[in-house]
Amino acid sequence: MISTLAGAQTPATNLEQVAEFGKHQPIGVAVSGQGRIFVTFPKKKANYDYGLAEIVDGQRRPYPNAEWNQWDSTKAATRFVNVQSVFVDQTDALWVLDPANPDDEAPLVPGVKLLKINLASNKVERVYRFEDLPRERTGLNDVRVDPTRQVAYLTDPKLAA
């Protein structure tokens, strides 16, 4: 379930449900400056439809399109494998982190990526591949981007040891 706090500026705040997912497990959420809601879902053996969805009228819609969300381990470089984190920066760009580790297994190395999606055009603008990391043992977990400084901050608990 995804909820919003209505009237968060006032002492009497109300929680408003905007979507419910039933058997699907949401793990990341981001909201654009225009109020668009994006949710990530892990790749599991069961109950998987999309890695990234936009919530429209309470319903999940594959984002940026169905092709990016169509599971195919042989096309890991151009499809979502296991979307972990999503973030909207100050320029209203959507950043999508895919550590490419389906069902918490070892990463599919070509699928480890960070995407920048233009929310005005709904198109992938750039894909970062992290070829300088040991992608076969990475576990990228979260991302924040500062476009002013042109810096991305990523967490990776597997490389911390």
Side-chain angles (χ1 to χ4, degrees), residues 19-86:
E20 189 170 323
F21 305 112
K23 63 184 179 179
H24 301 285
Q25 174 193 7
I27 58 171
V29 64
V31 180
S32 76
Q34 284 73 40
R36 294 171 67 185
I37 302 169
F38 301 91
V39 181
T40 64
F41 300 89
K43 171 65 175 113
K44 299 290 184 186
K45 289 182 175 103
N47 301 329
Y48 178 81
D49 294 329
Y50 314 129
L52 176 62
E54 181 175 8
I55 306 304
V56 179
D57 296 326
Q59 301 298 309
R60 296 178 314 126
R61 305 273 191 262
Y63 190 84
N65 57 45
E67 184 177 349
W68 267 101
N69 283 275
Q70 186 178 32
W71 168 248
D72 186 337
S73 63
T74 67
K75 296 181 179 180
T78 58
R79 305 274 174 94
F80 292 135
V81 177
N82 188 39
V83 178
Q84 181 68 31
S85 181
V86 64

Side-chain angles (χ1 to χ4, degrees), residues 137-150:
R137 63 183 181 92
T138 189
L140 294 170
N141 182 275
D142 204 1
V143 64
R144 294 296 180 266
V145 177
D146 182 343
T148 305
R149 293 190 178 114
Q150 295 186 355

